[in-house]
Amino acid sequence: MDRIVRAASGQYVDGGWREPARSKRLSVRDPSSGSEVGSVVAATPSDVQAAVQAAARAFPGWAALSPDERGEPLRRAHALVLERADHLARALTLEGGKPLEEAKGEVLWGAEFLLWYAEEARRPWGEILASSGPGQRLYVRRRPRGVIACITPWNFPSSLVARKVAPAVAGGNTVVLKPAEQTPLSAVLLFEIFHEAGFPPGVVNLVCGDPEPIGAVLTSSPDVRQISFTGSVEVGKLLLRRCADSVKKVTLELGGHAPFVVFADADLELAADKLAFSKFQNAGQTCIAANRVLVERGVSGEVGRLLAERAAEVRVGDGLEPGVTVGPLIDGAALGRVREHVADAVSRGGRLLCGGSEPPGLDPERFFGPTVLTGVPPDARVATEETFGPVAPLIAFSSEEEAVELANASEYGLAAYLFTRDLGRAHRVGEALDYGMVAVNDGALGWVQAPFGGIKGSGDGREGGRQGLEEYLDVQYLSVNFD
Ligand code: NAD
């Protein structure tokens, strides 16, 4: 089976692919095997400058188009992604590791943002305020901001590109995107589609390569008006500090530490199904993955058993192999952290119900089996730090108040889950959770029409829905005196 995506330029600037003559290439590796599946050219600071300048030149013309005109290339891009979904999914599996079916789901989910924002371009709502005197009108309008630098992580290398680019350009902005160095090929394939979809030169630009020099140009350039970042808390804080001098708007979609709260009155089978999805999707490497499973004391044994049953049904392996439902972890560092979290939980009294190592026959440097731990103390690393692996630690609670207190005892505030059949409790606890998103009796949150994003240490950005467009628009208030 052909396991090569290809060597790509990686620099799409001013409407064309650039390949500087003496350039460093960055290898892209399959996390299942470590073999090279492609490469891209590493952008130099002057390549990044050129991309920013192209975006700045394109901005006035693009912003002046009607929303319908701006929606057209997005609609064409949506159709092209659907046409090429299998190819895009395969590339995603090869560079990111997630199983093929899951990769295709991601590609199609990303396509939804292209179509949604093609339409949403028509709805940058304004307001007319009460006048303060006769012959006066006070208007609030939303207008595009300018050049937006988008930085995306490796764990959703296709959909998060679409989820940033689509609202930014729909709102009349132009974009320079930097994908994660581990997974640039999905972005390259999407930019090929953007090219065919007919975006005017300079509206969408791509630069790949080492994060530090690219980030240095993007955060210091006076032409860049906003950084839209998805990734770790650490890098998010660094970018925020670096943007202070040029007072850029910084939108942060950072990590999470989702509590998954199960009350004794819940449908436990449903909770276990949703928990298995939330925990094992992308091998637990999602920002909204359940990281702490808080279970009411009387049912914690039953929830542990039900989850372990589901873990036993998971097949770990190479994402291209039919039947595999959990792929490798992205790299050795990720695997090391997962092992450390499990060892730490066990050393503090946690007990393994299943997993705890690589499944038989698989490379211990790349794979980790679905793991369920019970009796984990709330101060264990797995209960306080983002694990980013297929590990579910169960922590027991005795009352609604204790559940809320434990759930909120985190610097993060991205997603939380709550399972109960009591309608009053669903509202009470749902509203008391300090999280940007709360799912009640469900394990998924990333709907295209809903504002995805966090509070506290998880950042302040919103992607999806009306709020996703507003992130890229400035508010202008216009006072008109016509007396
Ligand atoms: P990361 O912070 O290491 O990298 C994210 C991006 O930032 C990559 O493109 C990387 O190259 C770039 N980067 C790193 N250093 C940089 C620098 N100095 N200047 C400019 N860019 C720099 O994160 P990751 O490991 O790729 O992704 C995993 C993290 O992302 C997790 O914490 C996860 O929870 C989070 N995440 C959040 C969301 C969300 O919507 N809130 C979604 C997906 C992932």
Side-chain angles (χ1 to χ4, degrees):
M1 193 191 304
D2 180 16
R3 296 190 70 101
I4 298 293
V5 181
R6 88 165 95 131
S9 148
Q11 322 300 329
Y12 180 75
V13 174
D14 211 9
W17 293 96
R18 316 275 162 215
E19 187 128 21
R22 282 195 312 276
S23 53
K24 177 175 143 193
R25 293 201 79 85
L26 288 185
S27 175
V28 182
R29 297 195 173 270
D30 173 1
S32 282
S33 62
S35 59
E36 184 173 282
V37 294
S39 64
V40 289
V41 176
T44 61
S46 61
D47 295 331
V48 185
Q49 283 290 5
V52 170
Q53 281 159 12
R57 279 195 305 274
F59 172 63
W62 180 247
L65 293 182
S66 72
D68 279 8
E69 288 168 318
R70 291 201 300 265
E72 274 172 28
L74 283 170
R75 276 189 206 89
R76 283 194 290 270
H78 169 258
L80 286 166
V81 171
L82 298 196
E83 226 175 274
R84 289 181 206 165
D86 288 327
H87 180 59
L88 290 165
R90 199 179 144 73
L92 203 167
T93 295
L94 280 172
E95 67 175 354
K98 66 179 64 172
L100 196 54
E101 196 182 328
E102 200 179 311
K104 186 156 176 194
E106 178 183 336
V107 167
L108 297 177
W109 179 54
E112 285 185 43
F113 290 94
L114 301 173
L115 191 58
W116 171 272
Y117 284 107
E119 290 297 317
E120 199 63 10
R122 295 176 165 133
R123 293 184 275 269
W125 300 127
E127 291 170 70
I128 301 175
L129 308 178
S131 310
S132 284
Q136 184 201 46
R137 292 290 180 273
L138 303 179
Y139 301 101
V140 177
R141 63 186 288 263
R142 288 196 160 77
R143 44 181 252 156
R145 189 164 280 137
V147 177
I148 315 287
C150 300
I151 301 179
T152 49
W154 54 264
N155 67 334
F156 284 88
S158 185
S159 56
L160 295 193
V161 171
R163 196 165 80 167
K164 286 195 188 299
V165 171
V169 299
N173 306 285
T174 55
V175 162
V176 177
L177 183 124
K178 191 208 88 59
E181 56 277 26
Q182 299 93 330
T183 54
L185 302 174
S186 293
V188 167
L189 295 177
L190 278 180
F191 272 73
E192 286 180 355
I193 284 176
F194 294 159
H195 179 75
E196 283 177 53
F199 283 101
V203 172
V204 291
N205 303 275
L206 175 72
V207 288
C208 295
D210 297 323
E212 185 58 40
I214 298 178
V217 175
L218 295 177
T219 51
S220 62
S221 166
D223 287 324
V224 173
R225 290 284 325 281
Q226 176 177 358
I227 303 273
S228 172
F229 173 76
T230 300
S232 62
V233 173
E234 192 192 0
V235 176
K237 285 181 183 170
L238 176 82
L239 297 176
L240 192 57
R241 281 194 292 272
R242 289 192 175 164
C243 286
D245 279 345
S246 51
V247 198
K248 290 187 204 321
K249 164 111 179 149
V250 182
T251 315
L252 298 174
E253 302 276 351
L254 306 180
H257 204 285
F260 193 102
V261 185
V262 185
F263 285 95
D265 66 20
D267 177 338
L268 300 184
E269 293 279 351
L270 174 78
D273 283 342
K274 301 292 183 186
L275 177 55
F277 168 79
S278 169
K279 191 65 261 186
F280 304 138
Q281 182 198 19
N282 202 18
Q285 302 170 110
T286 73
C287 53
I288 59 168
N291 218 125
R292 287 165 290 155
V293 186
L294 306 175
V295 191
E296 195 161 358
R297 206 164 289 281
V299 294
S300 67
E302 177 67 355
V303 170
R305 188 185 65 74
L306 292 173
L307 185 60
E309 261 176 33
R310 281 146 182 85
E313 289 162 11
V314 164
R315 200 173 138 220
V316 184
D318 176 344
L320 285 188
E321 259 181 43
V324 162
T325 49
V326 167
L329 293 179
I330 189 71
D331 55 28
L335 204 106
R337 184 184 52 241
V338 171
R339 285 191 194 284
E340 279 173 29
H341 278 200
V342 172
D344 173 74
V346 169
S347 76
R348 290 163 188 261
R351 197 165 54 83
L352 277 169
L353 289 184
C354 64
S357 61
E358 71 285 356
L362 290 178
D363 186 343
E365 301 297 317
R366 304 186 184 283
F367 296 95
F368 200 80
T371 298
V372 183
L373 286 154
T374 186
V376 176
D379 61 348
R381 286 185 65 189
V382 72
T384 54
E385 299 171 25
E386 200 176 19
T387 307
F388 241 49
V391 179
L394 269 59
I395 299 168
F397 66 83
S398 302
S399 66
E400 194 177 297
E401 293 70 30
E402 192 192 0
V404 171
E405 198 179 314
L406 283 170
N408 285 344
S410 172
E411 67 192 80
Y412 295 101
L414 188 59
Y417 306 88
L418 156 64
F419 283 73
T420 179
R421 284 190 173 107
D422 178 332
L423 196 57
R425 172 176 276 161
H427 284 86
R428 239 180 358 256
V429 175
E431 290 175 11
L433 290 170
D434 291 335
Y435 288 83
M437 301 177 282
V438 178
V440 179
N441 297 327
D442 205 352
L445 283 157
W447 311 113
V448 68
Q449 66 274 35
F452 189 103
I455 57 173
K456 293 165 65 182
S458 294
D460 61 355
R462 291 294 178 275
E463 293 188 336
R466 172 171 65 77
Q467 293 82 354
L469 179 68
E470 287 172 1
E471 286 290 347
Y472 298 104
L473 300 174
D474 280 331
V475 170
Q476 185 184 47
Y477 138 56
L478 214 64
S479 171
V480 179
N481 187 340
F482 54 89
D483 258 356

